[in-house]
Amino acid sequence: MSDFPALSSEQFQILISKEEAGTRLDHFLSKKFTYHSRTVWQKEINEGRITISGKKVKSGILLKEGETIVYQPVGRKEPPVRKDYEILYEDEFFVAVNKPGDLPVHPAGKYRKGNLLTLLKGSGRFENLFTVHRLDRETSGVVLFAKDSETASILSGFFSSGKVQKYYITKVYGDFPRRKIAYGVLKPDFSSKIRKKKKFFSLKFNFLKRNKRFVFENSSETVERERCLTYFKKIEFDFLNRNFEAQDANSNSGSRNARIEDEESQGQGNRERKSEVYSFVLCKPITGRMHQIRAVLYGLGFPVLGDKLYGRDEEVFLEFIEGKNPDLTARLGMERQALHSYAIRFNHPITNQKMKIVASFPGDFR
């Protein structure tokens, strides 16, 4: 499980699975719920706010399958979130939403009410909604929610089996090449102070050409070694200007209906500000590994602006989880990671009609 489901307005619980058994309690909490550091979780445990099967415990206890962790936090205000989401498409089976940055997709950790799913349900517009996939809290763009469990199952299967083409736009430091195909593996980055950080190791493209079927179909890679394939293309200035001008004119359709093919033309999508060169890049991940786009770009030498984990200064991440207030714009270039889920293509889960849903370019990328 990835978050503490609410028991009441003040308590949360999680059931330990077979895969999670054998892990130290403080390691488990700090790895799963990164809004607190390991030190903070140890303090919560020592002060008795975390129990296992009704008993107070120590930080070093090893978890067992079937045990229930209960967390009763001190009353804290939820962090503020953006609520300016936009409905991009809706029919009787599912709804597509343009999620702003700094808004979780579903309830998790300290975001019990401040999340997109809760906001949509609270709007009175939907009787029921089911999560199909997710984006990171700081990532903006297209998110799908199903209106029934059967559609949710079909759409989730589309995502896990690679039947959804996903396109992201990001803003990176450096003069990105016109085109780039990145094939390799993601492994734990043991050189980093951050345990969950991954490192990209490039593999020869000849292997990919000889083993395409293996790359696309093999999803049983171990946690330590994950093969990944991503296509990158620098975005032209004209495309960016059209989107920003459409926003300034409050156009209802101009930026939403921009076609993916526009970005495929040649261009020089990099800018320079205060001696910093940066580029806008279209990303098409073929595999779906955690942190894939951000980790690969970092490994290629083009860190994403605003990225605390894979940005230019990982000390920002460590300061952030300790509750300090680093100047994100000064040190990372943006207040949030510059990653936007720009478009998805798939066949309708019921009618089989070809679908393309596009989310307008985010204004904070300017």
Side-chain angles (χ1 to χ4, degrees), residues 118-263:
T118 299
L119 292 175
L120 289 170
K121 287 182 176 180
S123 69
R125 180 169 176 172
F126 308 100
E127 290 186 11
N128 207 352
L129 289 175
F130 296 80
T131 305
V132 171
H133 65 120
R134 64 178 295 275
L135 298 175
D136 289 339
R137 175 177 61 86
E138 294 190 7
T139 300
S140 56
V142 183
V143 181
L144 301 184
F145 295 94
K147 292 187 175 183
D148 59 80
S149 58
E150 181 179 356
T151 303
S153 178
I154 296 172
L155 286 172
S156 295
F158 283 0
F159 277 92
S160 61
S161 63
K163 293 182 180 179
V164 178
Q165 295 180 43
K166 297 172 285 186
Y167 300 84
Y168 291 80
I169 289 176
T170 187
K171 186 177 180 181
V172 301
Y173 282 106
D175 186 5
F176 200 82
R178 181 179 159 218
R179 294 179 185 273
K180 180 73 177 178
I181 299 176
Y183 172 62
V185 294
L186 293 173
K187 300 180 182 179
D189 186 354
F190 296 113
S191 66
S192 172
K193 299 177 184 178
I194 305 170
R195 290 186 303 277
K196 67 177 183 178
K197 192 170 183 176
K198 298 182 179 182
K199 190 172 184 178
F200 175 68
F201 293 85
S202 180
L203 295 177
K204 290 183 178 180
F205 195 64
N206 286 338
F207 178 90
L208 174 61
K209 291 181 177 178
R210 295 195 304 269
N211 299 271
K212 272 190 176 181
R213 185 172 180 179
F214 171 81
V215 173
F216 289 110
E217 295 182 0
N218 182 11
S219 59
S220 59
E221 296 291 340
T222 65
V223 173
E224 291 76 22
R225 182 183 176 92
E226 297 181 335
R227 295 185 185 272
C228 62
L229 173 63
T230 318
Y231 293 97
F232 297 102
K233 170 71 174 68
K234 183 187 290 186
I235 300 175
E236 60 173 319
F237 269 134
D238 288 346
F239 170 75
L240 298 171
N241 290 336
R242 285 199 302 271
N243 277 271
F244 288 139
E245 288 169 3
Q247 289 179 21
D248 292 338
N250 294 318
S251 171
N252 291 323
S253 60
S255 56
R256 257 206 317 268
N257 295 329
R259 296 178 59 80
I260 292 295
E261 289 80 6
D262 289 341
E263 298 110 54

Side-chain angles (χ1 to χ4, degrees), residues 283-352:
C283 317
K284 184 181 179 182
I286 304 303
T287 51
R289 309 302 186 190
M290 181 180 291
H291 300 169
Q292 178 172 321
I293 292 174
R294 298 157 58 203
V296 170
L297 285 169
Y298 179 81
L300 294 175
F302 300 94
V304 173
L305 271 74
D307 195 330
K308 302 176 189 68
L309 188 58
Y310 295 98
R312 299 196 302 181
D313 182 2
E314 74 171 26
E315 293 294 329
V316 173
F317 177 86
L318 300 172
E319 293 174 20
F320 187 81
I321 63 174
E322 290 291 345
K324 298 178 182 178
N325 190 29
D327 189 333
L328 301 178
T329 300
R331 295 171 66 179
L332 299 178
M334 279 182 61
E335 285 292 314
R336 58 109 171 176
Q337 65 192 31
L339 187 61
H340 179 66
S341 174
Y342 172 66
I344 57 173
R345 292 178 182 267
F346 60 99
N347 288 348
H348 193 285
I350 307 301
T351 67
N352 205 39

Side-chain angles (χ1 to χ4, degrees), residues 47-62:
E47 294 181 356
R49 286 192 279 275
I50 292 176
T51 60
I52 295 181
S53 301
K55 298 179 181 178
K56 292 184 178 181
V57 291
K58 294 184 178 181
S59 300
I61 190 171
L62 298 182

Side-chain angles (χ1 to χ4, degrees), residues 14-21 52-53 63-69:
I14 184 170
L15 184 67
I16 299 303
S17 67
K18 181 179 180 180
E19 294 74 21
E20 295 162 339
I52 295 181
S53 301
L63 300 175
K64 298 178 182 178
E65 180 183 0
E67 288 183 325
T68 300
I69 300 176

Side-chain angles (χ1 to χ4, degrees), residues 89 93 183 274:
Y89 173 85
F93 303 105
Y183 172 62
K274 295 181 180 179

